[in-house]
Amino acid sequence: GMRSFAQAAASEEVAAPLRVVQIDGLVVLKIIKHCKECMPALVTGQLLGLDIGSVLEVTNCFPFPSRGSEEEDEADADGANYQLEMMRCLREVNIDNNTVGWYQSTYMGSFQTVELIDTFMNYQENIRRCVCIIYDPVRSGQGVLAMKALKLQESFMDLYKNQEFTGEKLREKNLTWVDIFEEIPVKISNSTLVSAIMTELETDSPVTQGDYDRLGLSTNPFVEKNLEFLIECMDDLSGEQQRFQYYYRNLQRQQTQQQAWLQKRRADNMARKAAGEEPLPEEDPMNPIFKPIIEPSRLDSYLIINQVANYCDQIKG
């Protein structure tokens, strides 16, 4: 017999993993237009669509108003109201108004930040599956469509909720820098009508030498910029490593001090025992050498390594 809608919804809980993000051609053009027009400022906007099985369909989008110089809290409140109002308008004209994530522009692919992770965590509270479309107008000027869809990996989200980025936790969960973001393949789809019009618009005129010349793109400034960023990242990374070395040096020093203190206390206790006195306790929480040293979080170095990998890919490309 027919399964009830409630049963179907309940069994939908264990969803198929996300295989592809399918974006309408018009949405791609809207994202490109918004990101390009506002350069060099970085912008962001809402993605709307449908989450069906292993495909996330993005059928519409709208830009978020860019922040002026006003107070940040005020801008946040205005932004939230704008979003709600926009969703209401879309609902009235019967357009998909189901949020499936957001898009944002990036400069030369430097997007792996704690802010990006926090935005994911906020969205994830209300949406089971959401993606972020990252578009790089500068790279796209090099003749590639620099657009990718990202999501956070489940195993990473669990750790992030508890902010557990100590070496021990990461080893226990077998998590490395590769396990933060997951890239989902992007497929651009057009309606049959759009495809038909595009076929109509295609010209039959032969390609001239001038057309070929326009395709010769100078990559030098692009590679230079990438190398500059790469060097900056390497500096940041060595700074992170120094922080860890400092932590381990302090830890070692503390352990040595604790050992020395313990040996001395044991020797004292032997003497006390011989003299028939009560032995003293073998630890002293009041002593500063027993105060635990906090291990620094490894999240920053993981994010920097992600950026380094990104710049290397771009230079290689």
Side-chain angles (χ1 to χ4, degrees):
M2 279 280 285
R3 288 196 311 162
S4 74
F5 180 71
Q7 279 171 322
S11 66
E12 185 57 79
E13 274 314 291
V14 187
L18 191 55
R19 298 253 177 266
V20 66
V21 175
Q22 185 178 307
I23 315 180
D24 280 16
L26 185 61
V27 176
V28 173
L29 293 175
K30 277 183 175 176
I31 293 174
I32 292 174
K33 182 171 184 282
H34 182 207
C35 296
K36 245 190 169 144
E37 280 176 354
C38 296
M39 270 173 68
L42 298 180
V43 294
T44 162
Q46 191 88 300
L47 297 174
L48 307 168
L50 305 161
D51 182 356
I52 308 164
S54 58
V55 180
L56 194 68
E57 284 185 27
V58 183
T59 54
N60 204 344
C61 69
F62 62 85
F64 290 151
S66 47
R67 289 186 174 166
S69 52
E70 65 211 286
E71 291 299 303
E72 194 150 296
D73 293 344
E74 212 172 284
D76 280 345
D78 286 351
N81 291 337
Y82 173 83
Q83 262 169 288
L84 293 170
E85 191 57 27
M86 193 72 176
M87 304 288 252
R88 197 178 58 78
C89 296
L90 291 170
R91 204 165 40 242
E92 281 173 6
V93 290
N94 211 2
I95 288 173
D96 290 334
N97 65 345
N98 182 30
T99 303
V100 291
W102 80 101
Y103 69 84
Q104 64 180 57
S105 54
T106 182
Y107 179 59
M108 305 286 274
S110 45
F111 54 82
Q112 293 98 334
T113 59
V114 174
E115 288 78 46
L116 180 69
I117 296 173
D118 284 337
T119 312
F120 263 119
M121 297 305 278
N122 287 340
Y123 268 89
Q124 215 83 33
E125 277 172 19
N126 308 310
I127 307 166
R128 193 190 50 187
R129 280 205 295 209
C130 81
V131 293
C132 173
I133 301 283
I134 306 264
Y135 176 71
D136 190 336
V138 179
R139 267 199 76 203
S140 297
Q142 291 295 315
V144 283
L145 177 63
M147 184 176 276
K148 52 173 78 175
L150 298 179
K151 69 189 268 295
L152 278 189
Q153 300 213 22
E154 297 288 334
S155 51
F156 173 79
M157 282 196 285
D158 295 340
L159 271 191
Y160 193 76
K161 275 181 196 138
N162 308 319
Q163 284 295 327
E164 301 174 312
F165 291 108
T166 58
E168 188 189 344
K169 272 283 178 237
L170 294 168
R171 280 191 296 277
E172 181 188 307
K173 293 271 191 281
N174 199 7
L175 202 87
T176 66
W177 62 274
V178 193
D179 305 313
I180 301 181
F181 302 105
E182 182 183 343
E183 194 176 330
I184 311 289
V186 171
K187 183 178 157 210
I188 297 174
S189 75
N190 288 310
S191 67
T192 325
L193 191 62
V194 171
S195 305
I197 290 172
M198 277 154 72
T199 317
E200 282 290 296
L201 294 175
E202 267 179 27
T203 59
D204 296 332
S205 60
V207 178
T208 64
Q209 185 54 46
D211 293 333
Y212 281 128
D213 290 347
R214 276 208 298 276
L215 294 174
L217 295 162
S218 157
T219 54
N220 282 354
F222 179 69
V223 173
E224 245 169 65
K225 228 3 172 194
N226 254 313
L227 282 169
E228 236 171 77
F229 283 159
L230 186 57
I231 292 166
E232 244 170 68
C233 273
M234 294 313 280
D235 285 347
D236 291 347
L237 196 56
S238 81
E240 281 293 309
Q241 280 171 338
Q242 278 165 3
R243 228 165 51 131
F244 280 105
Q245 283 165 351
Y246 178 70
Y247 161 74
Y248 283 118
R249 274 203 305 273
N250 282 346
L251 196 62
Q252 221 167 356
R253 188 182 312 132
Q254 188 187 46
Q255 283 166 349
T256 316
Q257 286 173 335
Q258 287 174 354
Q259 282 307 107
W261 184 89
L262 197 59
Q263 278 169 339
K264 183 176 179 306
R265 175 56 57 100
R266 282 182 179 154
D268 289 351
N269 277 344
M270 296 275 280
R272 291 175 73 93
K273 218 177 202 168
E277 294 171 20
E278 275 290 296
L280 296 166
E282 287 206 348
E283 51 189 37
D284 178 7
M286 297 315 288
N287 191 324
I289 63 168
F290 286 100
K291 193 174 165 231
I293 301 174
I294 307 296
E295 181 180 340
S297 161
R298 286 166 199 255
L299 180 61
D300 286 345
S301 49
Y302 272 19
L303 289 172
I304 297 167
I305 298 171
N306 264 294
Q307 295 206 349
V308 168
N310 200 27
Y311 293 135
C312 290
D313 282 350
Q314 286 176 184
I315 292 167
K316 202 165 72 189

PDB file of all heavy atoms in Angstrom, residues 9 24 33 66 72 75 81-82 99 103 139 141 183 216 234 242 254 297:
ATOM      1  N   ALA A   9       9.123  10.475   5.342  1.00  0.00           N
ATOM      2  CA  ALA A   9       9.996  11.524   5.887  1.00  0.00           C
ATOM      3  C   ALA A   9      10.924  10.947   6.950  1.00  0.00           C
ATOM      4  O   ALA A   9      12.099  11.287   7.015  1.00  0.00           O
ATOM      5  CB  ALA A   9       9.154  12.642   6.469  1.00  0.00           C
ATOM      6  N   ASP A  24      21.830  26.024 -11.708  1.00  0.00           N
ATOM      7  CA  ASP A  24      21.257  26.565 -12.938  1.00  0.00           C
ATOM      8  C   ASP A  24      22.215  27.581 -13.551  1.00  0.00           C
ATOM      9  O   ASP A  24      22.837  28.368 -12.827  1.00  0.00           O
ATOM     10  CB  ASP A  24      19.927  27.275 -12.642  1.00  0.00           C
ATOM     11  CG  ASP A  24      18.786  26.287 -12.498  1.00  0.00           C
ATOM     12  OD1 ASP A  24      19.093  25.089 -12.320  1.00  0.00           O
ATOM     13  OD2 ASP A  24      17.615  26.702 -12.552  1.00  0.00           O
ATOM     14  N   LYS A  33      28.188  37.914 -11.740  1.00  0.00           N
ATOM     15  CA  LYS A  33      27.915  39.352 -11.886  1.00  0.00           C
ATOM     16  C   LYS A  33      28.099  40.065 -10.540  1.00  0.00           C
ATOM     17  O   LYS A  33      28.798  41.078 -10.446  1.00  0.00           O
ATOM     18  CB  LYS A  33      26.489  39.535 -12.402  1.00  0.00           C
ATOM     19  CG  LYS A  33      26.080  40.976 -12.653  1.00  0.00           C
ATOM     20  CD  LYS A  33      24.736  41.022 -13.374  1.00  0.00           C
ATOM     21  CE  LYS A  33      24.347  42.444 -13.730  1.00  0.00           C
ATOM     22  NZ  LYS A  33      23.827  43.211 -12.600  1.00  0.00           N
ATOM     23  N   SER A  66      25.829  44.646   1.012  1.00  0.00           N
ATOM     24  CA  SER A  66      27.190  44.747   1.550  1.00  0.00           C
ATOM     25  C   SER A  66      27.189  45.726   2.704  1.00  0.00           C
ATOM     26  O   SER A  66      26.428  46.692   2.716  1.00  0.00           O
ATOM     27  CB  SER A  66      28.172  45.192   0.479  1.00  0.00           C
ATOM     28  OG  SER A  66      27.631  46.283  -0.218  1.00  0.00           O
ATOM     29  N   GLU A  72      28.487  47.276  13.328  1.00  0.00           N
ATOM     30  CA  GLU A  72      28.386  45.895  12.849  1.00  0.00           C
ATOM     31  C   GLU A  72      27.086  45.216  13.296  1.00  0.00           C
ATOM     32  O   GLU A  72      26.437  44.533  12.510  1.00  0.00           O
ATOM     33  CB  GLU A  72      29.604  45.100  13.320  1.00  0.00           C
ATOM     34  CG  GLU A  72      29.735  43.793  12.581  1.00  0.00           C
ATOM     35  CD  GLU A  72      31.174  43.329  12.443  1.00  0.00           C
ATOM     36  OE1 GLU A  72      31.968  44.010  11.779  1.00  0.00           O
ATOM     37  OE2 GLU A  72      31.479  42.281  12.998  1.00  0.00           O
ATOM     38  N   ALA A  75      24.271  46.357  11.233  1.00  0.00           N
ATOM     39  CA  ALA A  75      24.365  45.786   9.889  1.00  0.00           C
ATOM     40  C   ALA A  75      23.883  44.339   9.896  1.00  0.00           C
ATOM     41  O   ALA A  75      23.191  43.897   8.981  1.00  0.00           O
ATOM     42  CB  ALA A  75      25.802  45.862   9.389  1.00  0.00           C
ATOM     43  N   ASN A  81      17.014  40.895   8.530  1.00  0.00           N
ATOM     44  CA  ASN A  81      15.680  41.340   8.108  1.00  0.00           C
ATOM     45  C   ASN A  81      15.550  41.294   6.591  1.00  0.00           C
ATOM     46  O   ASN A  81      14.528  40.873   6.056  1.00  0.00           O
ATOM     47  CB  ASN A  81      15.412  42.769   8.601  1.00  0.00           C
ATOM     48  CG  ASN A  81      15.253  42.813  10.108  1.00  0.00           C
ATOM     49  OD1 ASN A  81      14.920  41.796  10.717  1.00  0.00           O
ATOM     50  ND2 ASN A  81      15.514  43.952  10.707  1.00  0.00           N
ATOM     51  N   TYR A  82      16.611  41.716   5.918  1.00  0.00           N
ATOM     52  CA  TYR A  82      16.614  41.726   4.456  1.00  0.00           C
ATOM     53  C   TYR A  82      16.403  40.302   3.930  1.00  0.00           C
ATOM     54  O   TYR A  82      15.609  40.065   3.018  1.00  0.00           O
ATOM     55  CB  TYR A  82      17.953  42.283   3.963  1.00  0.00           C
ATOM     56  CG  TYR A  82      18.154  42.193   2.470  1.00  0.00           C
ATOM     57  CD1 TYR A  82      17.613  43.168   1.623  1.00  0.00           C
ATOM     58  CD2 TYR A  82      18.878  41.150   1.896  1.00  0.00           C
ATOM     59  CE1 TYR A  82      17.799  43.096   0.255  1.00  0.00           C
ATOM     60  CE2 TYR A  82      19.066  41.068   0.527  1.00  0.00           C
ATOM     61  CZ  TYR A  82      18.525  42.044  -0.294  1.00  0.00           C
ATOM     62  OH  TYR A  82      18.710  41.959  -1.647  1.00  0.00           O
ATOM     63  N   THR A  99      16.468  27.408   1.605  1.00  0.00           N
ATOM     64  CA  THR A  99      17.893  27.729   1.658  1.00  0.00           C
ATOM     65  C   THR A  99      18.748  26.468   1.580  1.00  0.00           C
ATOM     66  O   THR A  99      18.513  25.526   2.325  1.00  0.00           O
ATOM     67  CB  THR A  99      18.223  28.457   2.974  1.00  0.00           C
ATOM     68  OG1 THR A  99      17.405  29.611   3.055  1.00  0.00           O
ATOM     69  CG2 THR A  99      19.669  28.883   3.032  1.00  0.00           C
ATOM     70  N   TYR A 103      26.801  31.679  -1.109  1.00  0.00           N
ATOM     71  CA  TYR A 103      27.983  31.811  -1.976  1.00  0.00           C
ATOM     72  C   TYR A 103      28.824  32.975  -1.472  1.00  0.00           C
ATOM     73  O   TYR A 103      28.319  33.866  -0.792  1.00  0.00           O
ATOM     74  CB  TYR A 103      27.578  32.011  -3.445  1.00  0.00           C
ATOM     75  CG  TYR A 103      26.913  33.336  -3.775  1.00  0.00           C
ATOM     76  CD1 TYR A 103      27.655  34.491  -4.036  1.00  0.00           C
ATOM     77  CD2 TYR A 103      25.517  33.430  -3.867  1.00  0.00           C
ATOM     78  CE1 TYR A 103      27.045  35.692  -4.349  1.00  0.00           C
ATOM     79  CE2 TYR A 103      24.899  34.625  -4.184  1.00  0.00           C
ATOM     80  CZ  TYR A 103      25.664  35.755  -4.426  1.00  0.00           C
ATOM     81  OH  TYR A 103      25.058  36.950  -4.729  1.00  0.00           O
ATOM     82  N   ARG A 139      40.834  34.793 -10.481  1.00  0.00           N
ATOM     83  CA  ARG A 139      41.258  33.582 -11.195  1.00  0.00           C
ATOM     84  C   ARG A 139      40.423  33.365 -12.440  1.00  0.00           C
ATOM     85  O   ARG A 139      40.910  32.875 -13.458  1.00  0.00           O
ATOM     86  CB  ARG A 139      41.118  32.361 -10.278  1.00  0.00           C
ATOM     87  CG  ARG A 139      42.372  32.038  -9.535  1.00  0.00           C
ATOM     88  CD  ARG A 139      42.327  30.627  -9.027  1.00  0.00           C
ATOM     89  NE  ARG A 139      42.567  29.665 -10.088  1.00  0.00           N
ATOM     90  CZ  ARG A 139      42.167  28.393 -10.039  1.00  0.00           C
ATOM     91  NH1 ARG A 139      41.500  27.964  -8.994  1.00  0.00           N
ATOM     92  NH2 ARG A 139      42.419  27.579 -11.017  1.00  0.00           N
ATOM     93  N   GLY A 141      39.354  35.518 -14.330  1.00  0.00           N
ATOM     94  CA  GLY A 141      39.906  36.391 -15.372  1.00  0.00           C
ATOM     95  C   GLY A 141      41.024  35.707 -16.142  1.00  0.00           C
ATOM     96  O   GLY A 141      41.452  36.178 -17.201  1.00  0.00           O
ATOM     97  N   GLU A 183      35.231  18.885  -1.138  1.00  0.00           N
ATOM     98  CA  GLU A 183      34.763  19.569  -2.341  1.00  0.00           C
ATOM     99  C   GLU A 183      33.775  18.664  -3.071  1.00  0.00           C
ATOM    100  O   GLU A 183      34.030  17.484  -3.277  1.00  0.00           O
ATOM    101  CB  GLU A 183      35.944  19.902  -3.250  1.00  0.00           C
ATOM    102  CG  GLU A 183      35.571  20.893  -4.318  1.00  0.00           C
ATOM    103  CD  GLU A 183      36.755  21.338  -5.187  1.00  0.00           C
ATOM    104  OE1 GLU A 183      37.899  21.368  -4.689  1.00  0.00           O
ATOM    105  OE2 GLU A 183      36.505  21.632  -6.359  1.00  0.00           O
ATOM    106  N   GLY A 216      45.237  34.357 -25.654  1.00  0.00           N
ATOM    107  CA  GLY A 216      46.577  34.293 -25.040  1.00  0.00           C
ATOM    108  C   GLY A 216      46.581  35.092 -23.754  1.00  0.00           C
ATOM    109  O   GLY A 216      46.634  36.316 -23.769  1.00  0.00           O
ATOM    110  N   MET A 234      53.630  30.418   4.355  1.00  0.00           N
ATOM    111  CA  MET A 234      54.744  29.653   4.921  1.00  0.00           C
ATOM    112  C   MET A 234      55.266  30.354   6.176  1.00  0.00           C
ATOM    113  O   MET A 234      55.611  29.702   7.159  1.00  0.00           O
ATOM    114  CB  MET A 234      55.876  29.473   3.896  1.00  0.00           C
ATOM    115  CG  MET A 234      55.496  28.613   2.705  1.00  0.00           C
ATOM    116  SD  MET A 234      54.650  27.087   3.115  1.00  0.00           S
ATOM    117  CE  MET A 234      56.012  26.060   3.577  1.00  0.00           C
ATOM    118  N   GLN A 242      56.640  27.324  15.676  1.00  0.00           N
ATOM    119  CA  GLN A 242      57.416  27.859  16.807  1.00  0.00           C
ATOM    120  C   GLN A 242      56.590  27.831  18.091  1.00  0.00           C
ATOM    121  O   GLN A 242      57.099  27.533  19.161  1.00  0.00           O
ATOM    122  CB  GLN A 242      57.876  29.282  16.504  1.00  0.00           C
ATOM    123  CG  GLN A 242      59.144  29.298  15.652  1.00  0.00           C
ATOM    124  CD  GLN A 242      59.403  30.659  15.032  1.00  0.00           C
ATOM    125  OE1 GLN A 242      58.666  31.615  15.271  1.00  0.00           O
ATOM    126  NE2 GLN A 242      60.449  30.755  14.230  1.00  0.00           N
ATOM    127  N   GLN A 254      58.867  21.371  32.559  1.00  0.00           N
ATOM    128  CA  GLN A 254      57.973  21.136  33.700  1.00  0.00           C
ATOM    129  C   GLN A 254      58.099  19.682  34.195  1.00  0.00           C
ATOM    130  O   GLN A 254      58.156  19.434  35.394  1.00  0.00           O
ATOM    131  CB  GLN A 254      56.529  21.436  33.299  1.00  0.00           C
ATOM    132  CG  GLN A 254      55.597  21.408  34.493  1.00  0.00           C
ATOM    133  CD  GLN A 254      54.142  21.532  34.093  1.00  0.00           C
ATOM    134  OE1 GLN A 254      53.687  20.863  33.171  1.00  0.00           O
ATOM    135  NE2 GLN A 254      53.407  22.395  34.770  1.00  0.00           N
ATOM    136  N   SER A 297      45.837  25.060  20.145  1.00  0.00           N
ATOM    137  CA  SER A 297      44.983  24.373  19.166  1.00  0.00           C
ATOM    138  C   SER A 297      45.712  24.223  17.833  1.00  0.00           C
ATOM    139  O   SER A 297      46.471  25.100  17.420  1.00  0.00           O
ATOM    140  CB  SER A 297      43.713  25.188  18.949  1.00  0.00           C
ATOM    141  OG  SER A 297      43.102  24.819  17.747  1.00  0.00           O
TER     142      SER A 297
END
